[in-house]
Amino acid sequence: MVKKKGQIVDLAQKRSLIDWQHPNISLSRQCELLMLSKSSLYYEPASESIENLHYMRLMDEEFTRYPFYGVIRMHQFLLRAGYSVNIKRVRRLCRLMGLEAIYPKPNLSKPMNETVKYPYLLRGKKITECNQVWSTDITYIPMAKGFMYLTAVIDWYSRYVLAWDVSNSMDTEFCVNVLDRSLEKHKPEIFNTDQGSQYTSELFTQRLIDNCRVSQHY
């Protein structure tokens, strides 16, 4: 939920304000005025079996404790816990949740032709003021009958969340909408992200090129 002009406005309330048959204002414009992503407008909880949702909660908790766990270790964790689950299912659920082990990977220095690489600007740099460094990421949120994805843009110095949104998919538009709302408030000197496809897309990086120096995290 978000707070606006002294009121609590949740996604359901925002969606109820949409006029699907409005003769003059498009759905895209209505979403923009309500600060509602189009993906949230068509939201239906992502469907998974009760068994898979249980596995996902266990994996999410284990990944929080051990962020260097990949598919193999996560599979071993579930087996040790007494669950008979094959590694293909674990791999699919990890991909679905956006879980990727944090560790140095081979050939990181090898350039990729399809993606522009930006230098990491934060090594040894002191963060001393607001709007010096912003960053963003996507996280998985378990729900009673499914799951959602949350993305947010945060200022490193103040830890203030400049904008956020939830979606049932990890598409680029979802991330760009949150970035645009953040850029309406201020412009950062450096913007730091991981190498996720949403953040290395031309649509996302062009927004940053137009508004700040860009740092893609290696």
Side-chain angles (χ1 to χ4, degrees):
M1 294 189 294
V2 295
K3 192 172 183 179
K4 185 176 181 181
K5 294 184 179 180
Q7 295 181 335
I8 298 296
V9 182
D10 62 20
L11 288 175
Q13 289 174 308
K14 286 185 177 183
R15 291 167 65 192
S16 69
L17 296 174
I18 294 290
D19 185 347
W20 294 79
Q21 305 297 327
H22 200 287
N24 300 318
I25 305 178
S26 67
L27 289 177
S28 295
R29 180 54 178 162
Q30 292 183 62
C31 288
E32 182 181 349
L33 293 172
L34 290 169
M35 293 189 295
L36 176 70
S37 69
K38 289 188 70 175
S39 58
S40 297
L41 177 61
Y42 300 104
Y43 161 68
E44 292 181 3
S47 177
E48 283 291 341
S49 67
I50 294 176
E51 183 180 36
N52 279 350
L53 291 174
H54 180 62
Y55 291 152
M56 291 165 74
R57 282 174 171 78
L58 292 174
M59 292 163 60
D60 183 49
E61 293 171 359
E62 189 72 357
F63 188 80
T64 300
R65 289 190 289 265
Y66 305 106
F68 51 86
Y69 271 23
V71 173
I72 293 176
R73 286 190 173 182
M74 198 63 74
H75 180 234
Q76 292 171 345
F77 155 69
L78 290 174
L79 292 179
R80 289 195 305 270
Y83 297 99
S84 179
V85 53
N86 66 53
I87 195 168
K88 289 183 179 180
R89 184 190 292 197
V90 175
R91 181 175 289 108
R92 186 183 76 82
L93 295 179
C94 281
R95 188 181 300 115
L96 188 64
M97 297 166 68
L99 300 184
E100 184 176 0
I102 301 172
Y103 63 90
K105 298 178 177 62
N107 297 323
L108 284 181
S109 61
K110 184 180 293 185
M112 297 292 287
N113 294 331
E114 68 273 15
T115 302
V116 177
K117 300 290 185 178
Y118 296 92
Y120 183 63
L121 304 178
L122 302 180
R123 188 168 290 106
K125 189 177 185 65
K126 291 185 177 180
I127 313 302
T128 58
E129 59 184 354
C130 293
N131 302 317
Q132 182 182 1
V133 178
W134 290 2
S135 65
T136 188
D137 205 351
I138 300 174
T139 188
Y140 149 89
I141 303 177
M143 303 181 71
K145 296 184 179 179
F147 57 92
M148 292 283 283
Y149 298 104
L150 166 71
T151 188
V153 174
I154 187 172
D155 179 274
W156 273 30
Y157 182 76
S158 65
R159 301 298 179 186
Y160 178 73
V161 176
L162 296 124
W164 64 272
D165 204 352
V166 292
S167 174
N168 60 340
S169 66
M170 294 192 293
D171 58 24
T172 299
E173 181 184 0
F174 162 54
C175 298
V176 171
N177 287 340
V178 173
L179 174 62
D180 285 342
R181 281 158 45 198
S182 301
L183 292 172
E184 290 174 358
K185 301 175 182 178
H186 298 287
K187 300 291 188 293
E189 177 186 351
I190 297 173
F191 198 102
N192 189 63
T193 76
D194 61 25
Q195 292 282 349
S197 60
Q198 299 87 354
Y199 307 130
T200 56
S201 67
E202 182 179 356
L203 183 62
F204 195 94
T205 55
Q206 190 58 52
R207 289 286 204 283
L208 297 176
I209 291 170
D210 293 341
N211 288 280
C212 62
R213 295 163 60 191
V214 182
S215 171
Q216 295 293 340
H217 182 52
Y218 284 84

